Amino acid sequence: MEFTSAEGEQKYAALVRAADRAVIGLDFDGTLSPIVDDPTRAHIHPDAPEVLVDLAQVVAAVAVVTGRPARQALDLGGLEEVGNAIGEAGKELYLFGQYGNERWSSTRRRIVSPRPPHGLATFLRDLPRALRRADAADAWVEDKGLAHAVHTRRLPDPEGAFERLLPVLRDLAARNGLVLEPGRNVIEVRAPGMDKGKAVDTLAAEVGAGGFLFAGDDLGDLEAFDAVTALGKDGMPTLLVCSASDEVSALVDRADVVVHGPEGVLGLLRRLTADARAADARSR
């Protein structure tokens, strides 16, 4: 765990003092689960359920905000069981899937999801030709229901294929009224109007947050970082955490704290839990 500045340490201390009113927002891939070649096998870190349940007892709410479909995140993370345990502590676990287009919580227990976006069918019709144009015909296309993700990780030159595909898919998405979200060797195309920043704003308003921590690892988390930064400018204690890796460090320059992967994220959450309990004991 490394603070990026003295201000980062001060922001952490302020969040500890406000822990009982704080929301903890967490990305899934690269933050709670390791990045793997097959996204369908990206199970949550084995220590994460215990850490999240313990954390929930000292904060206002815990939320997972991910680009994955909600059902997939629930299964890979064992989050329904985690939600049960958090509920027993009188708190709530929230899940925002597909960048906030899908919602689930440990009290409602039902995934709320809109219809697939207009333009997606046409995009899919033209996608094979676009992949051939970028010399990436063998890229794996993941159907997320409300979006499609094109993965280059399995190709011989993942980074080169990603760079070739990015402008081609951006143009194809724009022609169909869709937005493009780049990530670690993956390009996702989905409907406009929702992103992780809006999910942060929704959470903060619904919970009545008096503090907000967000931990992420990639470009898809930038909107969440922007939203948390705006909350901080309004006087709320906030903390931005980058789960960095040797592969990607897109958020390092924006973060207050840099940790290494899911192990580092969980270490930070353990420390926050312990420090919040200690602060509460001292105030009694």
Side-chain angles (χ1 to χ4, degrees):
M1 172 175 168
E2 179 182 349
F3 291 104
T4 57
S5 66
E7 182 185 7
E9 292 188 66
Q10 294 166 3
K11 292 175 74 173
Y12 174 80
L15 187 74
V16 167
R17 292 192 294 271
D20 63 334
R21 298 177 289 117
V23 174
I24 309 301
L26 305 163
D27 178 35
F28 191 90
D29 292 277
T31 302
L32 288 176
S33 72
I35 298 294
V36 295
D37 288 342
D38 183 354
T40 65
R41 300 174 65 87
H43 294 281
I44 199 170
H45 189 284
D47 294 343
E50 180 182 355
V51 171
L52 295 181
V53 172
D54 201 29
L55 171 69
Q57 297 178 45
V58 301
V59 299
V62 177
V64 176
V65 185
T66 176
R68 283 184 178 273
R71 181 74 261 165
Q72 193 179 73
L74 286 169
D75 292 343
L76 289 172
L79 295 180
E80 287 180 295
E81 292 79 7
V82 173
N84 288 339
I86 288 176
E88 290 174 3
K91 298 298 179 67
E92 189 157 14
L93 174 67
Y94 295 86
L95 172 64
F96 286 73
Q98 301 211 44
Y99 296 88
N101 280 302
E102 295 181 324
R103 289 193 59 177
W104 175 93
S105 72
S106 55
T107 55
R108 295 185 179 179
R109 315 293 297 183
R110 182 173 67 89
I111 297 171
V112 178
S113 177
R115 293 180 178 179
H118 294 295
L120 191 58
T122 306
F123 173 85
L124 291 174
R125 184 198 66 195
D126 296 337
L127 180 58
R129 184 188 311 164
L131 295 179
R132 290 193 296 271
R133 278 180 55 201
D135 192 23
D138 293 330
W140 176 46
V141 180
E142 179 186 6
D143 181 355
K144 293 186 170 186
L146 300 179
H148 275 68
V150 180
H151 297 263
T152 65
R153 181 175 292 275
R154 301 177 186 175
L155 298 179
D157 178 17
E159 291 78 14
F162 178 90
E163 293 301 327
R164 293 192 303 273
L165 272 171
L166 197 57
V168 174
L169 295 188
R170 181 175 283 117
D171 178 64
L172 182 58
R175 292 204 308 268
N176 289 284
L178 304 170
V179 297
L180 180 144
E181 192 80 55
R184 294 194 197 188
N185 294 322
V186 61
I187 301 168
E188 182 164 320
V189 175
R190 55 186 174 83
M194 178 56 75
D195 56 47
K196 291 187 179 183
K198 292 183 175 65
V200 165
D201 290 337
T202 298
L203 269 168
E206 289 188 3
V207 176
F212 211 112
L213 177 153
F214 192 89
D217 75 309
D218 205 355
L219 295 172
D221 298 307
L222 279 173
E223 289 91 349
F225 270 41
D226 289 341
V228 174
T229 298
L231 293 174
K233 288 180 178 177
D234 288 337
M236 183 184 295
T238 60
L239 196 73
L240 295 174
V241 181
C242 171
S243 175
S245 71
D246 297 333
E247 188 177 89
V248 173
S249 55
L251 303 179
V252 168
D253 292 341
R254 294 286 308 277
D256 302 306
V257 182
V258 177
V259 298
H260 192 80
E263 284 276 2
V265 171
L266 296 179
L268 169 63
L269 297 180
R270 288 189 186 98
R271 175 173 169 179
L272 175 62
T273 302
D275 288 346
R277 285 197 170 113
D280 180 61
R282 286 194 299 269
S283 67
R284 292 181 180 179

